[in-house]
Amino acid sequence: MSRRLSIGVFTVLALAVAVGMAVAISPFASGSPDGLEKVAEKKAFLDDGKLHSVQNDSPVPDYAFPGVDNEKVATGMAGFVGTLGVFAVGYGIAFVLGRRRRARGDDRGPTAATA
Amino acid sequence: MFSIALHIPDGFLSGAVAALAAIPAIAAVAFGLKVADRDLDEARVPLLGVLAAFIFAAQMLNFPIAGGTSGHFLGATLAAVLLGPWLACLVMAVVITTQAFVFADGGISALGANVLNMGVLGAVLAGFLVAAGSRALPKTRAAYLGTVGVVAWLAVMVGAAATSFELALSDTVPLGTVLGAMLGTHALIGIGESIITVAAVSAVLAARPDLIAIGGHFDQAPGPATARTAQEA
């Protein structure tokens, strides 16, 4: 057990890997159409797709950070913001629910939250 | 505009299909919240955030497959292995919802269908399949990682099939036209999914084997040296 990473270290390491991928690698990801988009293009229903009205004002449309001219930098910044934002939302939900559980004194020790 | 595989944009689905797909999606997310409220232990609080972050980041990394097409990691099986099916569905919903509202990736009306395809049919199904495989197969590291790899591929294929059915039910494209094309493309994308999922699960087995929620318990004695190291670490 002594060599096991603490959950804090594990979290920081995994988050660093995620941020690194989003910032440094995503600007160089393939720009080809993806599976569904390619099929939609080939089978001629791509033009059916449209943005929902609320998406016209998306903060970071199409993974390009607004106001940044360099495409690669814009993508990397979008990745940075998105990865940390999604972490915060996921952590936040889990934290709030965990606090409710602690407040109930419902501590049955570690359970694997299985089905 | 639609940069991500399996993320259905608005306009592809009819209102009826989008609404019908949203019902199981909402039910699964609600159940995921209930499971989190009931079962989430301290160690998994950061894990939920980290997985959402990892999946979001990995979904930005489109890799080229054949014929001028790209694919990317989905993450449903990885999430299911680490969190169990219902919390994994919750994580997928967090990622998909953020992508739709912040990045205009995947539709708003189609949100239910996307959560159904990637969260319910992706993560929930994957969790139960890995659990079943772990019970049925020998308790070895190789059999476990093999199960994870096959299920990761299957989860992508099931999502692609479900997307095809939803498109056909919406009268967007005939099933016979879309199903083969979707499955053919995603059979290749699924191989990438398999490789990344197995690599990530191996890394967690080495660093924190206790964080694996589904399966991952191996017979101690005659296993390969790496498995024993992971168990003792």
Side-chain angles (χ1 to χ4, degrees):
Chain A
M1 297 294 274
S2 57
R3 280 168 51 232
R4 208 174 78 172
L5 293 176
S6 78
I7 190 69
V9 173
F10 182 87
T11 301
V12 170
L13 280 179
L15 193 58
V17 170
V19 170
M21 293 191 309
V23 172
I25 306 178
S26 78
F28 304 96
S30 168
S32 299
D34 68 30
L36 175 59
E37 190 180 353
K38 187 71 176 184
V39 170
E41 189 186 297
K42 275 202 294 209
K43 306 301 177 189
F45 61 93
L46 186 60
D47 289 342
D48 289 351
K50 55 179 188 283
L51 289 180
H52 192 280
S53 55
V54 308
Q55 292 177 316
N56 291 329
D57 307 311
S58 288
V60 193
D62 209 16
Y63 299 90
F65 202 83
V68 179
D69 288 337
N70 185 308
E71 232 175 78
K72 290 198 175 1
V73 175
T75 304
M77 284 173 70
F80 183 79
V81 171
T83 304
L84 291 181
V86 165
F87 172 77
V89 173
Y91 190 99
I93 290 173
F95 183 79
V96 168
L97 292 173
R99 199 169 53 181
R100 274 168 50 112
R101 181 167 177 252
R102 284 191 297 279
R104 289 198 305 267
D106 182 15
D107 196 2
R108 290 172 292 174
T111 53
T114 48
Chain B
M1 186 164 157
F2 331 115
S3 54
I4 287 191
L6 288 184
H7 285 46
I8 303 171
D10 279 340
F12 277 19
L13 301 182
S14 68
V17 169
L20 271 178
I23 295 170
I26 291 169
V29 169
F31 192 69
L33 287 168
K34 204 178 146 197
V35 168
D37 188 37
R38 197 186 63 201
D39 284 344
L40 193 65
D41 63 87
E42 213 77 32
R44 281 190 166 73
V45 169
L47 191 59
L48 216 139
V50 160
L51 260 171
F54 184 84
I55 289 168
F56 174 86
Q59 289 201 353
M60 289 184 73
L61 309 183
N62 287 58
F63 48 82
I65 59 167
T69 309
S70 73
H72 68 78
F73 183 59
L74 174 62
T77 304
L78 175 64
V81 163
L82 293 182
L83 293 171
W86 301 105
L87 293 181
C89 181
L90 193 58
V91 163
M92 295 307 289
V94 165
V95 172
I96 294 165
T97 306
T98 307
Q99 288 168 331
F101 280 98
V102 181
F103 298 91
D105 179 23
I108 304 294
S109 321
L111 197 54
N114 282 325
V115 170
L116 172 65
N117 298 341
M118 295 181 271
V120 183
L121 295 173
V124 174
L125 184 68
F128 283 101
L129 287 178
V130 172
S134 302
R135 275 194 301 270
L137 294 170
K139 307 274 179 289
T140 65
R141 184 186 162 88
Y144 179 67
L145 290 177
T147 305
V148 167
V150 170
V151 170
W153 184 83
L154 267 178
V156 171
M157 293 299 274
V158 171
T163 303
S164 305
F165 280 103
E166 289 153 11
L167 290 167
L169 284 172
S170 301
D171 283 330
T172 301
V173 58
L175 186 64
T177 307
V178 72
L179 185 62
M182 281 294 281
L183 291 181
T185 306
H186 286 88
L188 296 173
I189 295 173
I191 294 172
E193 179 78 14
S194 228
I195 293 169
I196 299 166
T197 304
V198 169
V201 171
S202 302
V204 177
L205 272 177
R208 282 290 301 251
D210 58 310
L211 291 182
I212 304 272
I214 305 288
H217 304 290
F218 309 126
D219 294 334
Q220 288 291 333
T226 45
R228 260 182 280 128
T229 312
Q231 288 287 303
E232 287 157 12

